[in-house]
Amino acid sequence: MEREPKDLALEAAKLLRDKRAEDLLVLDIEQLTVLASYMVVCSGRSTIQVKAMADELEEKMPDQQPIRREGYAEGRWIVLDYGSVLVHIFHEQEREYYHMERLWMDGTNAVELPPEE
């Protein structure tokens, strides 16, 4: 059974938060592009942490394997494409440099994350 895109994005965000993701952001981009419905963006402090966050998603969401995975070897900016959800896991330096969310935020499309448990 395929999950709703928002549920998938929020599940990914929760797993990333559990791995100490920084500056975690979920954006509803459905009205801005046909590429995906939601985008999850976060940062890690090291390439090891960035890779660990990507590994966590693939391990804890076995029924939702990404269609594509890019950037894992370098561990500086990993993109996991789940079709309706794009997950961008940045090393903090790349996140600061590219500041990708400025391209996708319109001031109204940030999705509120559930409180930490």
Side-chain angles (χ1 to χ4, degrees), residues 6-115:
K6 184 176 182 180
D7 294 339
L8 180 60
L10 290 174
E11 180 181 358
K14 180 193 178 311
L15 292 169
L16 291 166
R17 185 167 50 193
D18 291 347
K19 279 300 216 189
R20 307 266 191 262
E22 297 183 355
D23 300 320
L24 183 59
L25 183 64
V26 176
L27 298 173
D28 180 346
I29 59 170
E30 193 167 33
Q31 302 302 316
L32 302 175
T33 183
V34 296
L35 295 175
S37 298
Y38 289 86
M39 183 179 293
V40 180
V41 183
C42 70
S43 310
R45 293 184 184 193
S46 69
T47 56
I48 293 170
Q49 184 186 16
V50 169
K51 288 180 176 184
M53 287 189 281
D55 291 341
E56 182 79 354
L57 291 183
E58 291 188 56
E59 180 183 316
K60 297 281 175 84
M61 297 192 323
D63 59 325
Q64 296 290 325
Q65 290 301 303
I67 298 165
R68 286 180 50 148
R69 176 175 82 160
E70 299 291 335
Y72 187 86
E74 298 83 13
R76 306 292 294 178
W77 176 2
I78 298 175
V79 180
L80 300 172
D81 180 353
Y82 290 95
S84 60
V85 177
L86 293 172
V87 178
H88 295 268
I89 307 171
F90 286 93
H91 186 283
E92 61 189 358
Q93 292 169 338
E94 273 71 11
R95 174 95 178 260
E96 186 177 323
Y97 179 79
Y98 289 106
H99 193 55
M100 190 185 69
E101 55 268 30
R102 81 179 182 285
L103 301 172
W104 297 100
M105 288 184 75
D106 69 3
T108 64
N109 62 335
V111 176
E112 186 174 340
L113 298 174

